[in-house]
């Protein structure tokens, strides 16, 4: 079972700092642990995943249960729907999602595919908005879903915000674990690919993040040109070629990015 790493700034502030609230940090780590495991968890599960003493994990869980964020049958603990309020607060206050959503709806309708929006968070791209075409069923990535930066179209676009030296240092510090047989894990090659993507203004990843799946992404820039997000469209390889993705999906994505830039401050 993977342990949840403490945020980097937690170590920087230090437990003896008056600015740092250790109990709040522990509570948030416990909530995150449920998302990482995707199942109800025992007290021992939580303590191990969060690297906490059992007694501490128990106090955190009881506090979250009292506050309505956790439910329990005295053996297994699970999150309640109230946790969705935390995500709703973020989405409601996030300017990028608010600006992009209607534009993404137009792109999705034009392309007849799911259009998703991701932002940078650590070594991952996190999806914060999604638009689907008007049809009975459409598969796509859920909000809050995380993907590695180095092998995804949105991730490579987001890494393109770094200059060459920063990019090289960032990739060198990453553990590049192959997601599929097609995943590029050679670090100099990954760096060179991201630089090339930055130059041409988009990234197209073919079966590196998921078998049989390819996607194309463009940077979303704010008014001053800084990259703040990435928007993509993906499809299974049996439905579309890479050339068709460039011809069909790239133009509407680029138009959306151009329309959004002066609106994002």
């Amino acid at each position: 079972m993977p342990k949840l790493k403490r945020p980097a700034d937690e170590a920087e502030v230090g437990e003896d700092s008056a600015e740092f609230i250790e109990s709040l940090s522990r509570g948030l780590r416990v909530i995150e642990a449920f998302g990482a495991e995707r199942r109800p968890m025992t007290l021992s599960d939580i303590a191990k995943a969060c690297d906490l003493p059992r007694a501490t994990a128990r106090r955190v869980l009881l506090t979250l249960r009292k506050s309505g964020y956790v439910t329990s049958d005295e053996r297994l603990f699970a999150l309640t729907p109230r946790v969705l309020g935390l995500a709703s607060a973020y989405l409601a206050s996030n300017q990028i999602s608010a600006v992009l959503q209607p534009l993404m709806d137009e792109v999705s309708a034009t392309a007849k595919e799911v259009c998703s929006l991701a932002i940078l968070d650590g070594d991952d791209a996190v999806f914060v908005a999604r638009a689907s075409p008007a049809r009975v069923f459409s598969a796509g990535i859920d909000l809050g879903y995380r993907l590695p930066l180095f092998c995804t179209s949105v991730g490579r676009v987001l890494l393109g915000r770094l200059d060459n030296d920063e990019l090289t240092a960032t990739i060198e510090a990453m553990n590049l674990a192959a997601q599929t047989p097609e995943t590029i894990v050679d670090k100099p090659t990954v760096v060179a690919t991201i630089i090339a993507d930055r130059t041409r203004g988009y990234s197209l990843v073919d079966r590196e993040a998921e078998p049989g799946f390819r996607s194309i992404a463009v940077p979303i820039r704010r008014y001053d040109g800084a990259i703040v997000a990435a928007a993509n469209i993906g499809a299974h390889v049996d439905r579309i070629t890479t050339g068709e993705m460039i011809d069909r999906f790239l133009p509407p994505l680029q138009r959306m990015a151009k329309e959004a830039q002066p609106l994002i401050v």
Side-chain angles (χ1 to χ4, degrees):
M1 179 183 301
K3 292 185 178 181
L4 297 185
K5 296 180 180 178
R6 295 191 179 195
D9 57 349
E10 178 175 335
E12 293 172 2
V13 172
E15 295 183 1
D16 58 344
S17 171
E19 301 298 323
F20 185 78
I21 304 176
E22 176 70 19
S23 58
L24 175 59
S25 176
R26 289 170 174 168
L28 294 174
R29 281 160 53 200
V30 166
I31 290 175
E32 290 175 347
F34 287 102
E37 293 299 320
R38 301 186 180 185
R39 61 179 174 82
M41 302 172 71
T42 66
L43 173 59
S44 296
D45 291 337
I46 288 289
K48 184 177 181 180
C50 298
D51 197 18
L52 293 173
R54 279 176 55 90
T56 301
R58 180 176 181 276
R59 289 197 300 272
V60 171
L61 286 167
L62 292 179
T63 300
L64 290 172
R65 187 172 69 176
K66 181 67 174 179
S67 301
Y69 292 104
V70 165
T71 185
S72 172
D73 62 1
E74 303 305 328
R75 189 181 76 85
L76 292 175
F77 294 85
L79 296 180
T80 70
R82 185 167 187 174
V83 173
L84 293 174
L86 301 177
S88 297
Y90 168 77
L91 294 174
S93 64
N94 182 271
Q95 183 211 25
I96 298 173
S97 299
V99 168
L100 266 295
Q101 189 63 60
L103 300 178
M104 291 171 60
D105 291 338
E106 294 179 12
V107 170
S108 181
T110 299
K112 295 181 174 57
E113 299 287 348
V114 173
C115 179
S116 301
L117 183 74
I119 60 171
L120 182 71
D121 186 27
D123 288 346
D124 296 330
V126 180
F127 289 86
V128 296
R130 179 177 182 268
S132 300
R135 58 192 187 197
V136 176
F137 172 79
S138 62
I141 292 174
D142 293 331
L143 300 189
Y145 193 77
R146 308 174 77 90
L147 286 173
L149 292 172
F150 79 96
C151 64
T152 57
S153 62
V154 288
R156 289 178 180 171
V157 163
L158 291 168
L159 286 171
R161 68 199 287 179
L162 305 175
D163 65 35
N164 291 355
D165 290 340
E166 291 175 320
L167 175 60
T168 299
T170 298
I171 295 298
E172 282 297 327
M174 288 183 179
N175 175 27
L176 307 191
Q179 308 296 305
T180 76
E182 308 297 327
T183 307
I184 299 173
V185 294
D186 178 70
K187 293 183 177 181
T189 302
V190 172
V191 170
T193 300
I194 294 170
I195 292 173
D197 288 349
R198 182 175 62 202
T199 300
R200 65 182 179 178
Y202 69 91
S203 176
L204 197 159
V205 170
D206 188 9
R207 296 167 293 170
E208 289 192 54
E210 181 181 339
F213 191 82
R214 51 176 59 117
S215 68
I216 189 168
V218 300
I220 302 299
R221 301 176 184 273
R222 67 187 184 199
Y223 72 99
D224 61 357
I227 296 173
V228 294
N232 85 327
I233 295 176
H236 287 281
V237 297
D238 58 354
R239 291 203 298 110
I240 193 166
T241 66
T242 55
E244 289 173 327
M245 293 194 87
I246 294 172
D247 292 340
R248 286 180 49 197
F249 300 160
L250 184 58
L253 285 171
Q254 290 178 325
R255 285 195 298 269
M256 175 182 67
K258 184 176 181 181
E259 290 179 35
Q261 182 170 351
L263 304 177
I264 301 174
V265 297

